[in-house]
Amino acid sequence: MGSLAGPPLAGYIAHRFGRKMALLASGVQFAIAFILFVTAHTVAQILVGRFLQGCGIGFSLAITPLYVCEIATVQRRGALGSLLQVSMTLGMLMVYSIGPYVSYAAMQYILLTVPVLFCIAFCQMPETPHYYVAHGRYADASRSLEYLRGESIEELQDEFGSIQRSVEESIRNRGTLGQLFRDHANRRALFICTGIIVLQQLSGINPVQFFTQTIFEKTGSSVKPELASIIIGGVQVVASMITVLTLDKLGRRPYLLISSGGMCCALVALGTYFYLETQRVSSGFSLDRLAFLPVLSLVVFTASFCLGFGPIAWLLIGEMFAPNIKSFASSIVSSTCWGVAFFVLFYFSSLDAAIGTHWLFWTFAICTAGAFLFTYLFVIETKGMSLPEIQAQLNETAPVIINDKP
């Protein structure tokens, strides 16, 4: 619920006070949350901490793509944008690797160091040139761009001029919530980004990640649940790094198609394993030879997610919307994401009991098949394209236009 409430406030802070301030605010919320956890004596205090933690997630995932896309070059935007998923998987691997072996309090102290170090380090980073230009602070914008590129502003006149024209055009057509739905390009971008982010959550990624140990305990696998979680966490990091290294070469659409196809196959296999388990008593069928299947299925599922739907869903938010509407749009898409995530997690255990684990995973498989179809029909390629080119692409009436420009 905190993740649902965070993005609108984050969007306002990013628009009014800057992207940097909004991201620092997320670090402060995480730090306060971990302090509440380590000092907790009541359930209420833990719930307040969880809400603040959720707000921090809402802030960071709404604003990080915006910040990254505004400081990155066109050639490196995909790689830098997908680092968000790498960071998330590194955080999960850290918790999977340390959590089972230390006390509750020790875990909170360890996690507290992350936002503290982030705030100290990120204070040294500049605000984006786009924000400065939007507020008429051209000298600050020049210094920011010089810092980010490591070159003098004289050598960056073409890029600075492009940023200035883009932002000033956005200011002349100041974005409103109504414009987000009236303008064809914005409406199409909202449809694509919201569709991808909703299908990301309907893939079942959060229940799988949160209940990994529980899932392995139910399978009776010989692999220890805590070890299986570490293996899956490591696979997530490796898959995310592959995306970082190759996304700007291969493109967004191919990775989304590979990702959704891989997740669908893995979920079908996982559901099949649990179905066979329900039939084991009546049929006498032995699952010993299939003991590897749950581990393999979850490895393939998480790897596929981290190759495409994990990083690219957030990257598209930063790429597709015009600067004058980006804060509104990112808040709406992020809030939609966490609203869906809340209901998926809230009803996961109830659905598991009601329809069976096998049908639960088959339902997620159907959703990922829908994600493949949605990507094929509606998602445009943005590889190597500037913002004006992406906006022109979105204004086309054809459902799919693939850009092959290197």
Side-chain angles (χ1 to χ4, degrees), residues 130 170 209 265 317 352 369:
H130 294 70
S170 297
Q209 288 177 334
C265 293
I317 297 172
D352 188 12

Side-chain angles (χ1 to χ4, degrees), residues 145-294:
L145 193 60
E146 284 180 326
Y147 179 92
L148 292 166
R149 301 290 178 263
E151 300 176 18
S152 67
I153 194 62
E154 288 75 19
E155 299 172 308
L156 299 167
Q157 283 302 313
D158 288 345
E159 183 177 3
F160 186 78
S162 176
I163 292 172
Q164 186 174 340
R165 288 190 296 273
S166 175
V167 174
E168 289 178 348
E169 174 65 22
S170 297
I171 292 174
R172 283 193 293 272
N173 302 293
R174 187 170 294 279
T176 63
L177 195 58
Q179 185 181 344
L180 178 61
F181 295 96
R182 287 194 300 269
D183 181 79
H184 177 71
N186 288 333
R187 194 166 59 244
R188 192 173 175 202
L190 184 66
F191 172 70
I192 292 171
C193 291
T194 304
I196 289 293
I197 211 75
V198 167
L199 289 166
Q200 179 201 71
Q201 294 303 316
L202 292 179
S203 71
I205 185 62
N206 280 322
V208 168
Q209 288 177 334
F210 292 172
F211 297 103
T212 297
Q213 290 198 23
T214 304
I215 291 169
F216 275 100
E217 287 166 359
K218 288 184 69 171
T219 64
S221 171
S222 59
V223 181
K224 292 183 178 180
E226 59 269 23
L227 178 59
S229 297
I230 294 171
I231 292 171
I232 289 173
V235 169
Q236 287 180 316
V237 174
V238 173
S240 299
M241 286 302 301
I242 291 172
T243 302
V244 169
L245 296 173
T246 59
L247 183 59
D248 283 315
K249 296 178 182 177
L250 187 59
R252 282 59 162 160
R253 271 173 51 86
Y255 264 126
L256 287 172
L257 292 171
I258 293 169
S259 175
S260 53
M263 286 191 294
C264 184
C265 293
L267 288 166
V268 168
L270 194 59
T272 301
Y273 177 88
F274 281 107
Y275 172 75
L276 292 174
E277 188 182 47
T278 63
Q279 304 300 308
R280 182 172 55 180
V281 176
S282 58
S283 66
F285 182 77
S286 175
L287 292 178
D288 292 343
R289 293 183 180 181
L290 296 177
F292 68 92
L293 191 58

Side-chain angles (χ1 to χ4, degrees), residues 31-43:
I32 294 173
F34 290 125
I35 291 170
L36 288 172
F37 294 155
V38 81
T39 61
H41 295 290
T42 64
V43 173

Side-chain angles (χ1 to χ4, degrees), residues 330-349:
S330 62
S331 298
I332 290 173
V333 176
S334 296
S335 292
T336 302
C337 168
W338 298 117
V340 175
F342 172 80
F343 284 105
V344 170
L345 284 168
F346 189 83
Y347 289 109
F348 176 78
S349 297

